[in-house]
Amino acid sequence: MVSVINTVDTSHEDMIHDAQMDYYGTRLATCSSDRSVKIFDVKNGGQILVADLRGHEGPVWQVAWAHPMYGNILASCSYDRKVIIWKEENGTWDKMYEYTGHDSSVNSVCWGPYDFGLILACGSSDGAISLVTCSGDQQWDIKKISNAHTIGCNAVSWAPSVVPGSLIDQPSGQKPNFIKRFVSGGCDNLVKLWKEEDGQWKEDQKLEAHSDWVRDVGWAPSIGLPTSTIASCSQDGRVFIWTCDDPSGNTWTAKLLHKFNDVVWHVSWSVTGNILAVSGGDNKVTLWKESADGQWACISDVNKGQGAVSSIADGATNEQ
Amino acid sequence: MSGSKPDILWSPHHADRYVICDSELGLYRIGPVGSGETKAGALPLSVETAATLLAINSDTPYMKCVAWYPKHEPECLLAVGQANGRVVLTSLGQSHNSKCKELMGKEFVPKHARQCNTLAWNPVDSNWLAAGLDKHRADFSVLIWDISSKFSPEASVAAEKIRLSSGDTDSGLVVTKPLYELGQNDACLSLCWLPRDQKLLLAGMHRNLAIFDLRNTSQKTFVNTKAIQGVTVDPHFPDRVASFFEGQVAIWDLRKFEKPVLTLTEQPKPLTKVAWCPTRMGLLATLTRDSNIIRLYDMQHTPTPIGDETEPTIIERSVQPSNSLIGSFAWHPTSQNRMVVVSAANRAMTDFTVFERISLAWSSTTSLMWACGRHLYECAEEAGVGGEGTVEKDIATKMRQRAQSRYGHDMVQVWKNHLLAGGDDPQLKSLWYTLFFMKQYTEDMEQKQQGSKQALVYSGIKNIVKSSSGTTENRRCWSGSDRQTDVPRFHSEERSLALRLCGWINRGPDINVEPFLRSLEGEGEWERAAAVALFNLDIRRAIQILNKGASAERGDLNLNVVAMALSGYTDEKSSLWREMCSSLRLQLKNPYLCVMFAFLTSELGTYDGVLYESSVAVTDRVAFACMFLNDAQLPRYMEKLTSEMKEVGNLEGILLTGLTKDGVDLMESYVDRTGDVQTASFCMLKGSPGEVVKDPRVQCWIENYRNLLDAWRFWHKRAEFDIHRSKLDPSSKPLAQVFVSCNFCGKSISYSCSAMPHQGRGFSQYGVSGSPTKSKVTSCPGCRKPLPRCALCLMNMGTPVSNCPGTGHGTGKSGEKVDLTRENKLAQFNNWFTWCHNCRHGGHAGHILSWFRDHTECPVSACTCKCMQLDTTGNLVPSDSH
């Protein structure tokens, strides 16, 4: 069972759009409509503000931490059409790179698995998805998938790195040839899978099931098996779990996790991919787990109000 | 007629007060339910809040519109627009102070009586009150009154008309001369002052939206449109205005006033209210007539100075604050996304909050963060103290706890690992005992120098019995009865080994289950002990065990009855005993009691009742099979059981598969089911150095587990894991990536120690590397020139660190016996070379570490390099060191 243990005072002046913990769970990055990105040290249940990053000229939608083997690197994306990559050096945070290649709001950023190098996927309201790769020494290489989603792309999420055909014996000593894949969701009600082939990004799959905008997608971390699992949620209130057992990655089956009464904003997989957290317009965060027979069950239902509301003067909740 | 349609106004100054106006004015205070403030007559507004009626004012009939005085003083001053066009100042629940008293009851009367549609206080010049009226011939429809003005000279002239509404009005309080008159020959339906300039008034006229500038009243900016109702300025963007007409909302940008920047989807019913959320950018709430939902338009994308060409994205949502039809609503001026809603019919009120997009993120330590509005919440799995009925913990939490208790690290008493894992999982128990027995057997074989069998034991019972040869069959007497049984038992060396792996018999040549029975008795597993005794054809012992169990369990009748039934055993095929046992055994709850009778009543050679009783531990079923199935039946049964185990991912099946490819298959479905890569990694590393470790799936589990340990900052645990792993899989040992070379001859000084490359590729990450050089060597073994000196002790490198103040470098003293050799090895770390990649200064690792505990700059004087801060992970503390 889950309960609220902590409420964090971020001192943001407007709505917070995203909060992400770093790899070690010791740092928290938040971003808000107040155009700022804040970084906190999380220690013993308390938070100390260590940086307040200003640089965006509009609401900042999402932040993403890179793997620590590349240093302390954070990407943020904003309505101002920019993606900023920040880096901590000598204890101070600075802009490392600013990407301005989108024509509209950038809604989502996600770093690829560390095996792929420093690679960032960005989804924008202009319908395009950009892949920004650090090719060493402040050189950044851009690949853009135009018109990935008509009207706009709302979310991107990378597949964990899996060596192709890992079930078949691999000639030893060879450098593994990773297949780079990610999933995106957009305003065309579609979930799309993308795959890099010979250095070019191609649409690999188009998953249709939602009847309204796809708000978020999440590729589950695969612990152990090369079975792929994706969660997608939509404005239509539905959450789907997509699975693919086929090693070639061509047959995806959808399973309806649940139909909520209101929009479903986000889905998020736990570290081992065993629990899916879902947040909806009814102000509830629900946790879901797959049972041994493949059925998804709600294991916990955390109302924001529980335990938290008493400490917040204006956060009175009401539900009908 | 009085305006029966209710409306709500929040107090501009008190966050907990609001006024509801329908036929009268009611002032309410909102507070938490059950608090001292709320009185008995409080009306519940939500689960947590209730409202108390503070005051009622019914002095002003024919109300059409109400506006609350925006300044602090006087506090509760309201302007009421009436059906005859008059505007009356009134108050609610105030102890009248002098200033307020003067204004109270003051009336502002237009020349011609017609309905007053709207009122708006100027937010800066708060004396100014704008009133919008219906059309009357060529008269003006927008009147701006100055509430501080004295009554006009013509007051007496108008006095007759005043009598129409309220007879007892003091004519001294009547004002008939407006400050400004605007909108001639027109009607005004809605008004609002523009916040960017207090002299600008936006008015929804009959067929256009007009902006009046009070500095030059002859001029107005206007745009022809039907959307002239409910003009309202976005509190976050002073240039953004919303207005509506029937079911359509128009959004205007005053900088580009020619046409609406956007029109929101048409509603089937006419709109009655449109309001911007004051606490949240770009959130517009709309209400239609006879509706129980409020529609929200989330204009996420704010207008930027760049001047947007593309249409902003709008997310539409509907909220239903209550089941009844909504009369009106009002956003709370400061509380996030909160509104009070009043029903159309009976003035039922609801306190309602519109919930925002909640973003979610898991942390590596399995706590969940989410952001909602301006707040962030963190939640974690409750550390339930093993309470009954609580949901099982997530595997990530379990793995973390198990890693902390050194699960998997007990290399000697391998079976103890199941206790380290919590000791409550029968599958893990079986697994670790199996691995323990396998290891024990291997060690025995090593002593006897019989290496050939060593590999076999890890290939599992399935393969062991397959290779069985020279099986003998014998028939033994029931002990305790002199009758010859017709139960054949099979023996072979391999079958004995299998029994040993099942834990039924100990090492040694004779097949003696007595020690096993005693240990089962010791654990109180009476039924199981009895069954094992029975399978060894010792009815007397079985009965004895049951009796013992019955007395130990305070006269468990069940056990005694079973003992009684056993003693009546007869091998007569058609006896009543046999008949009754066959039918009644199925009612026995305990599977072991059940299989005992299944065994006794079974036909020759067919033991399905025992073999396929899934509640009986796999070890016992396998041991049973090894005793009673012949060479033809046994492999078939093993095959069947193995595939069953593989399918469900039951770890007990490792007994059958061993650490083979089959075992990996089984583990794969176990991991698929549970996600427990920890057990999978440790289990596969317990076997003999074999090809299983090279299986990509095993590699994948190991890598995943190492990643988890990294993310949890269990670096010491990971190092131990890597050391353990490299013993079994030498290929996993990373090659030395850094060599210390002599400044003079350039040769690696550690070549003499190259047989012992440092472990763990992690060190290169920390910017700290070193080689375990022999402590006596203080000069380059190649050219005999001295090695550089340590920046702190100024001794040549290679000199052992004599006294390092801060050697408390977490050795994991978890109360367990501390391996002395391990401690020595760690102490050597203090002697290692370490240097900063940036300034190239360095010295003994122990010295450097203790230096940077208190300093940020390099120990070399005049060097300002902040060596430790260059390392991004250098400041992180391992979470498994204390």
Side-chain angles (χ1 to χ4, degrees):
Chain A
M1 287 283 103
V2 174
S3 69
V4 172
I5 53 164
N6 199 0
T7 60
V8 180
D9 179 21
T10 58
S11 68
H12 274 297
E13 291 149 30
D14 206 332
M15 182 186 170
I16 298 165
H17 293 292
D18 197 17
Q20 293 288 330
M21 288 283 227
D22 74 346
Y23 180 80
Y24 295 115
T26 55
R27 280 193 162 178
L28 172 71
T30 60
C31 63
S32 152
S33 267
D34 68 6
R35 303 170 181 208
S36 70
V37 173
K38 294 188 184 197
I39 295 172
F40 299 86
D41 261 343
V42 183
K43 265 180 203 146
N44 311 324
Q47 304 79 31
I48 307 152
L49 180 70
V50 290
D52 185 347
L53 310 181
R54 303 275 169 170
H56 283 295
E57 293 155 44
V60 189
W61 301 132
Q62 227 174 52
V63 285
W65 290 96
H67 192 274
M69 72 183 279
Y70 300 104
N72 289 334
I73 294 176
L74 184 76
S76 60
C77 64
S78 159
Y79 175 69
D80 67 3
R81 310 161 192 202
K82 281 193 284 196
V83 173
I84 300 182
I85 296 169
W86 311 84
K87 186 170 186 173
E88 186 191 29
E89 250 162 325
N90 291 339
T92 53
W93 285 87
D94 277 311
K95 265 186 214 179
M96 184 186 186
Y97 179 65
E98 191 172 295
Y99 173 60
T100 51
H102 282 290
D103 305 322
S104 186
S105 166
V106 186
N107 302 320
S108 182
V109 280
C110 185
W111 289 103
Y114 68 92
D115 326 54
F116 303 169
L118 211 45
I119 180 165
L120 183 74
C122 324
S124 163
S125 285
D126 65 8
I129 296 171
S130 295
L131 291 129
V132 180
T133 317
C134 180
S135 44
D137 253 25
Q138 296 293 314
Q139 289 299 305
W140 295 84
D141 176 45
I142 313 290
K143 283 201 180 101
K144 199 163 169 181
I145 308 169
S146 299
N147 207 20
H149 289 277
T150 31
I151 316 178
C153 171
N154 294 324
V156 283
S157 174
W158 284 87
S161 64
V162 176
V163 181
S166 59
L167 286 182
I168 308 139
D169 280 325
Q170 182 89 6
S172 56
Q174 229 175 320
K175 191 175 172 263
N177 185 20
F178 293 109
I179 300 178
K180 294 179 191 160
R181 282 193 297 173
F182 69 88
V183 61
S184 64
C187 305
D188 51 6
N189 310 347
L190 293 174
V191 172
K192 287 184 176 179
L193 303 187
W194 306 88
K195 190 170 169 181
E196 193 187 45
E197 272 171 28
D198 310 319
Q200 293 305 309
W201 285 94
K202 285 185 182 140
E203 185 181 310
D204 187 38
Q205 292 287 317
K206 192 191 279 179
L207 309 179
E208 287 175 77
H210 288 294
S211 58
D212 205 337
W213 290 13
V214 178
R215 298 295 325 177
D216 199 7
V217 285
W219 203 310
S222 88
I223 285 267
L225 283 172
T227 317
S228 300
T229 308
I230 291 171
S232 67
C233 66
S234 157
Q235 201 93 344
D236 66 11
R238 290 187 288 178
V239 176
F240 279 103
I241 305 292
W242 305 86
T243 47
C244 172
D245 299 323
D246 167 18
S248 56
N250 294 326
T251 16
W252 289 82
T253 44
K255 186 172 225 164
L256 181 66
L257 181 90
H258 191 66
K259 167 93 173 69
F260 294 86
N261 291 325
D262 204 340
V263 45
V264 184
W265 297 119
H266 286 287
V267 286
S268 175
W269 291 100
S270 70
V271 182
T272 47
N274 281 64
I275 306 179
L276 181 72
V278 176
S279 75
D282 56 358
N283 196 39
K284 271 190 184 154
V285 175
T286 46
L287 303 182
W288 300 79
K289 196 169 188 167
E290 191 181 14
S291 63
D293 56 351
Q295 294 301 311
W296 286 86
C298 180
I299 56 163
S300 190
D301 182 330
V302 206
N303 186 335
K304 188 201 79 165
Q306 282 174 3
V309 76
S310 53
S311 62
I312 298 147
D314 60 350
T317 61
N318 179 305
E319 262 160 290
Q320 292 285 321
Chain B
M1 57 156 258
S2 65
S4 59
K5 182 184 87 72
D7 201 4
I8 310 175
L9 296 174
W10 280 94
S11 159
H13 316 295
H14 294 277
D16 60 346
R17 288 183 196 185
Y18 62 89
V19 158
I20 298 232
C21 38
D22 32 36
S23 55
E24 58 185 19
L25 295 167
L27 177 68
Y28 292 87
R29 185 176 59 209
I30 195 163
V33 166
S35 79
E37 281 185 44
T38 51
K39 294 185 190 90
L43 306 154
L45 296 192
S46 70
V47 184
E48 281 127 6
T49 52
T52 321
L53 182 60
L54 294 181
I56 292 184
N57 181 336
S58 45
D59 299 344
T60 48
Y62 318 118
M63 277 193 286
K64 276 290 154 196
C65 48
V66 183
W68 201 312
Y69 185 68
K71 287 276 168 71
H72 233 284
E73 274 298 310
E75 213 176 279
C76 197
L77 181 66
L78 292 162
V80 178
Q82 291 176 316
N84 55 10
R86 292 161 169 245
V87 179
V88 185
L89 296 184
T90 186
S91 171
L92 262 174
Q94 288 297 305
S95 51
H96 295 185
N97 59 34
S98 56
K99 192 175 179 197
C100 198
K101 210 168 198 171
E102 202 176 279
L103 293 165
M104 221 43 60
K106 204 162 186 172
E107 291 200 25
F108 305 92
V109 184
K111 251 181 261 164
H112 299 99
R114 58 254 155 92
Q115 181 167 305
C116 177
N117 291 319
T118 177
L119 287 173
W121 291 95
N122 189 304
V124 183
D125 287 326
S126 55
N127 277 345
W128 293 4
L129 176 65
L133 302 163
D134 269 349
K135 187 175 150 114
H136 188 272
R137 303 213 185 111
D139 201 359
F140 295 96
S141 61
V142 178
L143 305 178
I144 296 169
W145 303 98
D146 183 350
I147 59 161
S148 60
S149 65
K150 296 280 177 266
F151 63 92
S152 63
E154 311 102 293
S156 51
V157 182
E160 282 160 43
K161 284 169 191 165
I162 297 161
R163 304 265 179 250
L164 285 172
S165 68
S166 45
D168 56 345
T169 316
D170 181 355
S171 60
L173 282 171
V174 172
V175 178
T176 51
K177 178 105 180 95
L179 203 58
Y180 294 98
E181 290 176 307
L182 306 161
Q184 197 166 17
N185 198 9
D186 208 343
C188 175
L189 287 131
S190 61
L191 280 175
C192 75
W193 294 92
L194 295 182
R196 62 174 179 179
D197 189 335
Q198 85 242 29
K199 295 273 197 272
L200 294 182
L201 180 68
L202 175 67
M205 306 305 281
H206 180 48
R207 286 212 169 263
N208 58 63
L209 282 182
I211 298 172
F212 296 104
D213 189 336
L214 300 187
R215 284 160 296 213
N216 181 1
T217 49
S218 60
Q219 254 187 21
K220 65 172 184 185
T221 325
F222 73 97
V223 56
N224 287 328
T225 175
K226 281 184 180 172
I228 41 93
Q229 283 179 289
V231 288
T232 169
V233 182
D234 184 341
H236 293 99
F237 293 100
D239 287 320
R240 187 153 72 177
V241 170
S243 66
F244 64 91
F245 161 72
E246 304 230 303
Q248 204 171 334
V249 180
I251 310 287
W252 306 84
D253 187 332
L254 297 180
R255 297 166 300 184
K256 298 182 282 181
F257 201 38
E258 309 83 49
K259 59 178 175 64
V261 278
L262 99 145
T263 314
L264 302 176
T265 342
E266 211 154 323
Q267 303 285 334
K269 285 179 216 160
L271 291 156
T272 55
K273 182 151 186 172
V274 168
W276 296 99
C277 175
T279 54
R280 160 78 149 72
M281 241 179 265
L283 188 63
L284 187 76
T286 66
L287 175 68
T288 58
R289 207 175 59 202
D290 304 331
S291 158
N292 60 358
I293 58 160
I294 289 175
R295 213 154 167 72
L296 297 167
Y297 295 91
D298 189 353
M299 280 159 250
Q300 294 225 329
H301 299 178
T302 54
T304 52
I306 318 158
D308 232 322
E309 294 308 313
T310 53
E311 271 211 354
T313 330
I314 291 172
I315 297 170
E316 284 182 42
R317 274 175 77 191
S318 296
V319 289
Q320 190 180 348
S322 71
N323 291 322
S324 47
L325 296 182
I326 299 166
S328 186
F329 71 93
W331 290 105
H332 190 281
T334 50
S335 272
Q336 271 184 53
N337 292 5
R338 182 176 167 192
M339 56 169 72
V340 162
V341 175
V342 64
S343 70
N346 51 357
R347 211 195 254 200
M349 297 170 289
T350 313
D351 180 1
F352 181 75
T353 304
V354 175
F355 300 119
E356 287 285 4
R357 187 166 78 125
I358 301 174
S359 69
L360 287 171
W362 286 92
S363 117
S364 57
T365 50
T366 62
S367 69
L368 181 67
M369 307 263 342
W370 73 86
C372 183
R374 244 172 276 173
H375 295 287
L376 262 188
Y377 302 90
E378 188 185 2
C379 75
E381 228 169 334
E382 245 160 45
V385 197
E388 299 293 315
T390 48
V391 180
E392 217 186 337
K393 284 199 190 100
D394 180 41
I395 191 67
T397 316
K398 273 195 202 166
M399 284 195 283
R400 193 153 174 268
Q401 280 171 353
R402 286 173 183 173
Q404 246 161 342
S405 61
R406 301 177 42 76
Y407 171 58
H409 286 284
D410 199 322
M411 313 295 173
V412 188
Q413 298 290 77
V414 177
W415 60 273
K416 276 192 178 160
N417 282 313
H418 97 86
L419 296 176
L420 296 173
D424 52 359
D425 188 327
Q427 287 198 21
L428 290 185
K429 183 174 176 182
S430 161
L431 171 73
W432 288 108
Y433 267 104
T434 300
L435 292 173
F436 173 65
F437 291 136
M438 287 177 172
K439 179 173 169 287
Q440 204 183 39
Y441 182 79
T442 319
E443 281 163 3
D444 289 355
M445 286 299 124
E446 266 166 12
Q447 277 171 5
K448 289 187 211 157
Q449 309 270 310
Q450 288 178 324
S452 59
K453 284 267 169 71
Q454 196 183 318
L456 183 67
V457 71
Y458 279 110
S459 61
I461 290 180
K462 192 182 91 168
N463 291 317
I464 292 169
V465 296
K466 220 182 262 172
S467 67
S468 174
S469 58
T471 307
T472 57
E473 179 183 334
N474 70 351
R475 284 164 192 250
R476 258 177 57 189
C477 290
W478 282 103
S479 88
S481 142
D482 44 8
R483 267 169 295 160
Q484 177 85 21
T485 62
D486 43 9
V487 186
R489 275 181 58 172
F490 300 92
H491 292 278
S492 73
E493 209 181 319
E494 287 77 16
R495 286 175 187 241
S496 299
L497 169 59
L499 288 181
R500 211 182 130 179
L501 293 180
C502 291
W504 276 30
I505 56 171
N506 260 336
R507 60 180 91 183
D510 40 312
I511 300 166
N512 182 9
V513 292
E514 196 49 36
F516 181 54
L517 293 181
R518 289 227 186 84
S519 78
L520 287 178
E521 281 180 324
E523 289 170 43
E525 296 194 61
W526 308 107
E527 294 89 349
R528 190 174 169 202
V532 173
L534 186 74
F535 297 153
N536 282 281
L537 309 178
D538 195 343
I539 288 194
R540 194 168 286 280
R541 179 83 175 96
I543 292 169
Q544 187 203 337
I545 291 167
L546 289 173
N547 285 333
K548 215 161 148 190
S551 56
E553 306 290 328
R554 296 204 192 93
D556 186 335
L557 201 57
N558 214 2
L559 293 183
N560 270 331
V561 169
V562 170
M564 227 151 72
L566 276 185
S567 59
Y569 168 65
T570 167
D571 51 2
E572 293 275 329
K573 285 274 179 285
S574 54
S575 68
L576 181 65
W577 186 91
R578 194 169 269 261
E579 193 186 314
M580 289 323 289
C581 283
S582 311
S583 60
L584 288 177
R585 75 176 182 90
L586 295 171
Q587 291 173 24
L588 286 167
K589 293 239 165 43
N590 186 293
Y592 283 98
L593 297 181
C594 187
V595 294
M596 276 161 73
F597 289 105
F599 174 62
L600 290 177
T601 57
S602 57
E603 294 297 313
L604 184 63
T606 54
Y607 301 109
D608 288 5
V610 181
L611 296 171
Y612 297 106
E613 173 56 59
S614 57
S615 335
V616 169
V618 173
T619 47
D620 294 333
R621 283 192 276 159
V622 168
F624 178 87
C626 288
M627 283 162 75
F628 295 104
L629 293 185
N630 63 33
D631 275 356
Q633 292 169 311
L634 188 57
R636 245 183 292 143
Y637 175 67
M638 291 296 170
E639 203 66 55
K640 202 165 171 189
L641 192 58
T642 306
S643 58
E644 197 182 294
M645 292 291 122
K646 268 160 74 171
E647 199 165 307
V648 296
N650 186 336
L651 288 182
E652 294 178 70
I654 292 291
L655 177 71
L656 297 168
T657 63
L659 304 180
T660 56
K661 195 175 167 307
D662 265 351
V664 179
D665 288 345
L666 189 152
M667 195 57 89
E668 182 180 345
S669 59
Y670 169 76
V671 173
D672 194 19
R673 184 165 59 83
T674 61
D676 185 2
V677 283
Q678 183 181 41
T679 300
S681 307
F682 276 114
C683 170
M684 290 301 157
L685 285 176
K686 290 287 184 255
S688 57
E691 74 279 15
V692 281
V693 187
K694 293 197 182 64
D695 189 296
R697 288 169 290 179
V698 178
Q699 292 290 338
C700 171
W701 299 330
I702 289 173
E703 278 312 311
N704 276 315
Y705 183 53
R706 291 178 73 246
N707 273 334
L708 281 175
L709 289 175
D710 268 349
W712 292 331
R713 285 176 289 136
F714 285 177
W715 292 316
H716 297 136
K717 295 278 174 341
R718 203 205 74 187
E720 278 179 61
F721 178 79
D722 282 346
I723 293 165
H724 174 55
R725 176 191 181 197
S726 62
K727 277 182 200 149
L728 269 156
D729 180 14
S731 66
S732 73
K733 221 180 262 185
L735 295 171
Q737 291 158 352
V738 181
F739 295 94
V740 183
S741 67
C742 172
N743 281 335
F744 300 97
C745 65
K747 276 189 194 151
S748 165
I749 61 150
S750 55
Y751 73 92
S752 55
C753 323
S754 57
M756 220 176 121
H758 60 85
Q759 290 138 344
R761 59 172 95 132
F763 279 107
S764 58
Q765 275 181 21
Y766 307 126
V768 176
S769 181
S771 301
T773 49
K774 297 254 164 59
S775 53
K776 279 168 200 152
V777 188
T778 57
S779 58
C780 167
C783 63
R784 300 279 160 207
K785 295 248 171 64
L787 292 174
R789 290 169 190 276
C790 168
L792 283 156
C793 68
L794 301 180
M795 302 285 272
N796 286 97
M797 289 306 293
T799 327
V801 174
S802 51
N803 183 24
C804 221
T807 48
H809 187 76
T811 42
K813 288 177 193 160
S814 49
E816 305 273 316
K817 52 182 191 290
V818 177
D819 195 343
L820 264 179
T821 53
R822 240 184 80 218
E823 196 155 61
N824 279 342
K825 269 182 196 161
L826 276 174
Q828 271 185 11
F829 177 76
N830 289 327
N831 290 330
W832 285 9
F833 283 84
T834 185
W835 67 93
C836 168
H837 284 286
N838 190 41
C839 66
R840 308 258 164 198
H841 297 134
H844 292 115
H847 291 156
I848 297 290
L849 269 176
S850 63
W851 170 265
F852 281 112
R853 223 164 275 147
D854 309 316
H855 303 82
T856 51
E857 280 187 7
C858 179
V860 175
S861 51
C863 176
T864 55
C865 178
K866 289 182 176 156
C867 315
M868 214 52 169
Q869 285 184 8
L870 293 174
D871 178 10
T872 51
T873 50
N875 298 319
L876 290 174
V877 188
S879 52
D880 61 347
S881 63
H882 299 290

